[in-house]
Amino acid sequence: MSTSASTRPLSDWIAVIDFGAQYSQLIARRIRECHVYCELLPHTTPLSEILARRPKGIILSGGPASVYSPNAPRYDMAVYERSIPVLGICYGMQLMAMSLGGKVASAEKREYGRTRVSILDREDLFATLEEEPGGGMVCWMSHGDHVEAPPPGFDIIAATENIPIAAMRNKEKGLYAVQFHPEVVHTPQGSALLRNFAVDICGCRPSWTMSNFIDLAVAEIREKVGSDMVLAALSGGVDSSVAAALVQRAVGDQLTCVFVNHGFMRAGEPEQVIATFSKRMGANFRAIDASKRFMDKLYGVSDPETKRKLIGEEFIRVFEDEAKKLGKIKYLVQGTLYPDVIESGTALASVIKSHHNVGGLPERMDLDLLEPLRNLFKDEVRELGLQLGLPPEIVWRQPFPGPGLAVRIMGPITPERVKTAREVNAIVTDEIEQAGLDKEVWQYFAVLTDTRSVGVVGDERTYGHAVAIRAVNAQDAMTADWARLPYELLDRMASRIMNEVAGVSRVVYDISSKPPATIEWE
Ligand code: XMP
């Protein structure tokens, strides 16, 4: 098994050397939003390796360490001696100052949160940035240490009430540094500052667009695949769909896509995937209705981890059977995204839930991986999907767990309970869409609980199921807050669920955030 990473410089680009800040990924995202390609590299990456790929600028990220502590990460001093501009952010600024003979001190007063920064020079880094009402510009600070004396040759170009050196510059050497975080949304003009650095100071052409990416990626996939055959597992989600569409653009008939319907999909989902891909791919698209096979395995199973493991394993079996029928396949397409690439290799978090997706496949199959999205963020993948002509329903699809509705049914799986879960999920989706909130709310669904409760219909006592509605807002899936949906909307959902779905006698709204809860119930 091998992994394909695009190491070819796709255009003018900026390297971010990552010292472990919470916000490092955001630096790359903000720079890419200015249409300049940007990659995050661990601070253990040798400078020579980075320079061999000819970046036009280097950013030193923030990080949790203090520069004087014994284990503080350092970087090759030669980074300051090149003709390539360097921007230090927070820890990156302190490291630059210390390395070049300045002085770093612990702040008497720790600065955290929104801070007004006075701009002392508007020449290059702060050019085009506007004076905000109230003076200066609002910036997000999160630091203990700060630069007390700049290194020789540096000018002070911004200050705050608490720290006299909020930004510094050595114009001659192309060295810049800011104490605040331009990459976070709480620094409203931060993107403009990063653009000034990448485009004006480093001279990057803003040519990183998804249409340019398609041309480059197609050429790269063709070169790699040659005349070999490729297989893709389609889940119906945006990542696997976009990856398959891109590979198809590159190698056409050499790609076969397999969609396995495990029977726990949302209403209309299999039909939509089948319609989209059979039109695009004709005979090279196979849809397998394995719902009976999965139900035989899952019938009566209640334990969440057992459900996940059984579905994951059965998925592999079905997929292997199909691959065997197809004969000689060399590559397997996988929709791995850039955040997964960045995160792999960092300390592993404990397993909260066994995630099932097509990621489980290659370990068991002797195939090389083709991961054409491994340099892209989710918003770029969506844009790419639109450019490749995928329908908006697929491109904007909200996250959905690999085991599907099986983990939205508490207690035993039966065909009747799957039907109920599908119906209640469809009502929640429909109402959110009708309220025009489908792009605003990050994820929304319904859970069929295993609690029953007493109700009354006409003069009759009922004893039906309780359904929980879940709607959350999140930046990523690591944390989430329950969405403050309008009462009228909740009211409509509840009455439709109780009127239209047989056997449901109660609807509740889940107001747990993550952590300590998770987004899905199982
Ligand atoms: P939790 O429930 O862990 O979910 O807070 C975080 C996000 O991941 C989705 N999810 C999954 N995605 N396979 C997936 O591809 C899975 O097995 C799986 N389980 C949960 C969930 O919908 C949420 O967006």
Side-chain angles (χ1 to χ4, degrees):
M1 187 182 86
S2 78
T3 299
S4 86
S6 169
T7 47
R8 179 185 294 181
L10 292 157
S11 51
D12 291 348
W13 75 289
I14 301 282
V16 178
I17 299 173
D18 182 14
F19 292 98
Q22 229 179 322
Y23 308 123
S24 299
Q25 271 197 47
L26 286 179
I27 304 173
R29 286 182 66 168
R30 292 288 105 80
I31 300 264
R32 289 196 196 181
E33 280 162 15
C34 313
H35 301 297
V36 172
Y37 184 65
C38 183
E39 255 185 53
L40 197 62
L41 300 156
H43 65 84
T44 46
T45 317
L47 181 63
S48 56
E49 213 175 275
I50 298 176
L51 293 175
R53 294 180 51 205
R54 297 167 192 269
K56 294 206 116 183
I58 291 181
I59 295 180
L60 309 175
S61 86
S66 173
V67 278
Y68 291 124
S69 65
N71 297 326
R74 301 280 159 89
Y75 203 65
D76 192 334
M77 289 287 290
V79 73
Y80 309 113
E81 299 303 330
R82 299 277 156 176
S83 48
I84 303 174
V86 179
L87 170 66
I89 295 177
C90 196
Y91 180 82
M93 171 171 181
Q94 294 151 17
L95 186 65
M96 183 188 284
M98 189 204 69
S99 306
L100 297 174
K103 211 171 146 208
V104 178
S106 245
E108 276 168 30
K109 212 166 133 194
R110 201 186 144 76
E111 269 192 314
Y112 184 81
R114 287 187 179 81
T115 306
R116 201 164 284 282
V117 171
S118 308
I119 299 162
L120 309 175
D121 177 300
R122 292 182 177 275
E123 220 178 290
D124 37 27
L125 197 60
F126 292 105
T128 71
L129 304 197
E130 283 167 14
E131 187 81 357
E132 292 169 11
M137 69 184 248
V138 170
C139 297
W140 183 260
M141 291 280 186
S142 174
H143 65 105
D145 296 355
H146 68 277
V147 175
E148 200 172 60
F154 275 74
D155 302 320
I156 299 168
I157 55 173
T160 73
E161 258 184 19
N162 294 322
I163 51 166
I165 312 174
M168 61 182 197
R169 170 188 65 198
N170 181 332
K171 196 164 182 186
E172 204 187 311
K173 294 202 158 162
L175 302 177
Y176 298 79
V178 292
Q179 183 54 69
F180 54 88
H181 289 272
E183 68 277 22
V184 302
V185 288
H186 313 296
T187 302
Q189 299 197 72
S191 286
L193 182 147
L194 290 170
R195 189 208 154 276
N196 286 348
F197 177 71
V199 177
D200 296 335
I201 296 173
C202 301
C204 289
R205 278 161 301 175
S207 57
W208 171 251
T209 60
M210 284 304 107
S211 66
N212 288 342
F213 173 82
I214 293 176
D215 296 342
L216 289 157
V218 161
E220 199 170 324
I221 294 166
R222 278 189 189 142
E223 190 184 313
K224 185 176 162 118
V225 169
S227 57
D228 286 313
M229 301 304 279
V230 187
L231 186 62
L234 278 176
S235 68
V238 55
D239 304 343
S240 66
S241 301
V242 174
L246 181 61
V247 174
Q248 197 223 0
R249 174 78 64 96
V251 299
D253 274 354
Q254 286 162 258
L255 171 71
T256 300
C257 284
V258 177
F259 167 64
V260 177
N261 178 2
H262 52 31
F264 305 116
M265 302 278 173
R266 287 164 287 191
E269 195 164 15
E271 293 79 1
Q272 198 176 64
V273 176
I274 291 169
T276 304
F277 283 91
S278 53
K279 195 159 121 212
R280 287 180 87 99
M281 308 194 61
N284 286 5
F285 170 71
R286 298 185 179 213
I288 320 281
D289 183 357
S291 40
K292 179 164 179 322
R293 204 168 147 169
F294 277 86
M295 185 51 80
D296 287 346
K297 288 260 171 215
L298 270 289
Y299 189 88
V301 174
S302 297
D303 177 63
E305 277 299 290
T306 312
K307 285 178 190 169
R308 285 176 175 273
K309 294 226 163 81
L310 285 174
I311 293 175
E313 278 164 22
E314 195 58 16
F315 199 88
I316 294 168
R317 298 285 94 77
V318 176
F319 198 77
E320 270 173 349
D321 289 352
E322 273 322 289
K324 264 188 225 132
K325 285 185 212 155
L326 288 166
K328 199 118 194 71
I329 301 277
K330 174 133 195 266
Y331 292 100
L332 180 76
V333 180
Q334 188 134 283
T336 315
L337 302 194
Y338 194 44
D340 310 330
V341 175
I342 296 172
E343 271 149 32
S344 64
T346 58
L348 279 181
S350 60
V351 176
I352 311 283
K353 295 173 186 180
S354 311
H355 272 211
H356 150 66
N357 50 33
V358 289
L361 290 171
E363 317 276 324
R364 313 283 300 263
M365 303 174 80
D366 194 17
L367 294 172
D368 283 359
L369 287 188
L370 205 54
E371 299 179 296
L373 311 181
R374 59 182 282 125
N375 285 329
L376 302 187
F377 288 111
K378 191 86 170 186
D379 46 346
E380 293 173 325
V381 170
R382 292 212 156 102
E383 171 60 27
L384 178 61
L386 292 173
Q387 299 254 350
L388 289 165
L390 287 175
E393 309 84 79
I394 286 189
V395 169
W396 293 107
R397 179 157 283 167
Q398 59 172 319
F400 187 58
L405 297 176
V407 290
R408 291 182 181 170
I409 296 171
M410 307 301 100
I413 303 280
T414 65
E416 299 72 36
R417 302 192 81 214
V418 174
K419 182 170 173 283
T420 308
R422 185 171 290 125
E423 286 172 7
V424 291
N425 270 279
I427 292 174
V428 170
T429 305
D430 185 43
E431 286 298 330
I432 295 257
E433 280 173 5
Q434 288 206 36
L437 293 176
D438 48 320
K439 294 243 171 71
E440 238 166 80
V441 182
W442 203 76
Q443 200 170 356
Y444 41 88
F445 53 91
V447 172
L448 177 60
T449 75
D450 50 359
T451 295
R452 295 179 76 186
S453 83
V454 174
V456 54
V457 175
D459 293 328
E460 296 288 319
R461 175 189 193 272
T462 58
Y463 190 49
H465 299 287
V467 162
I469 297 173
R470 181 90 166 125
V472 295
N473 281 316
Q475 290 277 339
D476 53 55
M478 303 301 287
T479 60
D481 193 12
W482 60 278
R484 272 55 172 176
L485 296 185
Y487 282 168
E488 303 71 41
L489 174 59
L490 288 169
D491 185 38
R492 271 197 306 279
M493 285 178 185
S495 58
R496 273 193 65 191
I497 289 173
M498 283 186 289
N499 285 320
E500 294 174 26
V501 184
V504 178
S505 61
R506 194 167 296 263
V507 174
V508 297
Y509 189 47
D510 179 354
I511 55 165
S512 335
S513 2
K514 174 181 180 175
T518 54
I519 296 177
E520 304 285 347
W521 275 37
E522 285 194 340

